[in-house]
Amino acid sequence: MIPFPEYPRPALRRDSFLNLNGSWSYAIAADEALPHAWDGEILVPYSPETAASGVRRTLQPNQWLHYQRMFTPPDGDGGRVLLHFGAVDNDCVILVNHREVGRHSGGYWPFSADITSLLREGENILRVTVRDNADDPTFAYGKQRYKRGGMWYTAQSGIWQSVWMEWVPETYLERIVITPEYDTASVKVRVFLNGPDAGLTKKITVRESEAPDAKVICVRETRENEAELILGNFAGWSPEHPHLYGVSIEAGEDRIESYFGMRKFGIGKDEKGITRLFLNGKPYFQNGVLDQGYWPESLYTPPSDEAMVYDIKTAKRLGFNMIRKHLKVECARWYSHCDHIGMLVWQDMINGGGTYNLLTISAPL
């Protein structure tokens, strides 16, 4: 069984998808050079410190964690092949067929690379080399420490979110930004293309839901990179009624699926003049839990997609409508589940846990 077989990026989905989770070779060594032998197998995307990975070893600051696996590129005629990582903690080097693809730093941020020029027929070799230091305050490591205790949790390292590939045409939809305009009953869609033909016509279709056969509400074709679509009467999103609209975007040979909810957040005065948090133009009391996002058997990585859903639904069943994600950024599917289940999210900024230098100002009494 391959962990997390689901498409990792719910807000930008394609038919082309090659999941690279599963069994990889691994070694922990003293330097960045390719190890002479592998220590065994590790189950990606679980960190080596976890029981779920099958390794249960802690990567030290003076060590390198090496990964390797073979792969056959996804099908596609021409076009490009993109390699995606959900998150790797903390610094890593990516190589395909012994040639460096690039380097990345930041244990919580997704990143991608175009590896088309490095591919060959048949099987290819993918290597990832990682370093991490959970006690270095210059890193955004959140709640991790080698010496756990008190507010500090077990340190973890390496690949901890899904790894995957997809085929795209020469000009493809790299990113989209969907902004609901609650007060004008409209939605703005901004499209970012990558490739030689950035002036392609974009066709944007909004449907009543994400179901493929859902009723089409509006369609817009434009050569511009931003378009506004008028919805008219719409269903607002709230934890009690988490209605989501489906969106399809076509540009040349590329097509992606996404979604959005009609909602707006703000601060305002209630009928007594007291400042409140607002949702969709009305005072809304947010009642939530502080979620550390640690799992006994798998630390930062949930045991499964179903486990994330169970956690969010349990919080809602217990009467909560908000989750504060504490010093951690989750995978994209976690946030999507909150959208679909009906859960507000307060997202913490990740810091290094070091001492803050505060300026003390003395004033006469």
Side-chain angles (χ1 to χ4, degrees):
M1 177 181 174
I2 297 177
F4 297 95
E6 303 85 5
Y7 197 96
R9 191 180 54 195
L12 203 161
R13 308 184 302 274
R14 285 188 180 88
D15 292 336
S16 173
F17 169 47
L18 175 63
N19 194 327
L20 296 179
N21 294 338
S23 183
W24 293 47
S25 299
Y26 91 94
I28 295 178
D31 54 46
E32 187 180 347
L34 179 67
H36 298 295
W38 298 100
D39 296 343
E41 299 292 310
I42 184 171
L43 189 61
V44 170
Y46 303 112
S47 294
E49 291 82 1
T50 69
S53 71
V55 175
R56 292 192 176 188
R57 294 176 62 184
T58 299
L59 182 68
Q60 300 298 323
N62 61 342
Q63 294 177 323
W64 292 82
L65 170 60
H66 299 267
Y67 293 87
Q68 180 172 294
R69 67 156 291 161
M70 308 298 291
F71 71 93
T72 301
D75 293 335
D77 185 16
R80 320 297 298 171
V81 174
L82 305 180
L83 171 63
H84 303 282
F85 290 84
V88 181
D89 191 14
N90 184 81
D91 300 319
C92 66
V93 184
I94 313 299
L95 299 99
V96 171
N97 295 326
H98 308 293
R99 295 171 63 188
E100 185 174 316
V101 173
R103 295 172 180 248
H104 183 265
S105 183
Y108 297 90
W109 327 127
F111 59 97
S112 304
D114 184 337
I115 61 171
T116 311
S117 63
L118 305 179
L119 297 175
R120 61 194 185 197
E121 291 291 329
E123 283 199 325
N124 291 253
I125 304 171
L126 172 60
R127 284 185 53 213
V128 181
T129 305
V130 181
R131 291 199 75 179
D132 190 25
N133 185 348
D135 285 344
D136 186 342
T138 62
F139 292 161
Y141 58 74
K143 300 278 287 189
Q144 304 179 65
R145 277 287 176 86
Y146 289 112
K147 186 178 180 181
R148 65 183 183 183
M151 66 168 283
W152 301 106
Y153 294 168
T154 304
Q156 60 99 64
S157 61
I159 299 171
W160 67 275
Q161 289 186 23
S162 289
V163 186
W164 50 291
M165 289 182 184
E166 63 183 346
W167 178 90
V168 296
E170 285 292 338
T171 299
Y172 63 94
L173 293 156
E174 183 176 48
R175 184 165 64 94
I176 61 171
V177 177
I178 301 176
T179 305
E181 299 289 349
Y182 194 91
D183 294 333
T184 59
S186 64
V187 60
K188 290 182 179 177
V189 180
R190 191 175 182 191
V191 175
F192 297 84
L193 289 176
N194 189 321
D197 194 1
L200 282 173
T201 296
K202 300 91 179 172
K203 181 180 179 182
I204 305 166
T205 304
V206 175
R207 301 186 305 277
E208 184 62 40
S209 73
E210 293 178 85
D213 58 350
K215 177 184 176 182
V216 173
I217 297 175
C218 51
V219 179
R220 179 78 183 273
E221 292 192 28
T222 178
R223 296 183 70 88
E224 300 298 322
N225 292 329
E226 185 173 307
E228 184 172 12
L229 293 88
I230 306 300
L231 303 182
N233 293 329
F234 65 87
W237 184 99
S238 69
E240 294 74 25
H241 303 284
H243 182 82
L244 296 170
Y245 291 89
V247 181
S248 301
I249 303 177
E250 300 173 56
E253 299 178 57
D254 201 13
R255 176 189 173 95
I256 63 97
E257 297 289 336
S258 189
Y259 70 88
F260 68 93
M262 290 298 292
R263 58 191 177 187
K264 72 170 185 175
F265 300 95
I267 297 174
K269 304 285 187 181
D270 66 10
E271 68 279 1
K272 296 181 179 180
I274 300 173
T275 301
R276 305 288 189 189
L277 295 173
F278 274 50
L279 172 62
N280 299 340
K282 298 178 181 180
Y284 190 85
F285 184 74
Q286 299 188 26
N287 177 32
V289 295
L290 183 66
D291 183 1
Q292 310 292 346
Y294 264 81
W295 300 81
E297 67 273 51
S298 50
L299 299 181
Y300 261 13
T301 310
S304 65
D305 196 71
E306 293 77 11
M308 288 190 285
V309 171
Y310 178 83
D311 250 26
I312 299 166
K313 285 187 173 180
T314 298
K316 191 169 185 180
R317 178 173 55 83
L318 293 173
F320 299 104
N321 58 26
M322 179 270 286
I323 292 175
R324 176 186 165 192
K325 182 54 64 173
H326 190 42
L327 294 178
K328 181 191 177 189
V329 177
E330 288 287 359
C331 66
R333 291 192 63 84
W334 185 86
Y335 297 96
S336 180
H337 289 317
C338 289
D339 288 337
H340 286 80
I341 294 168
M343 186 64 72
L344 299 171
V345 178
W346 289 14
Q347 177 62 59
D348 277 12
M349 180 179 286
I350 315 302
N351 63 22
T355 302
Y356 292 98
N357 295 319
L358 300 178
L359 176 63
T360 301
I361 301 177
S362 299
L365 294 176

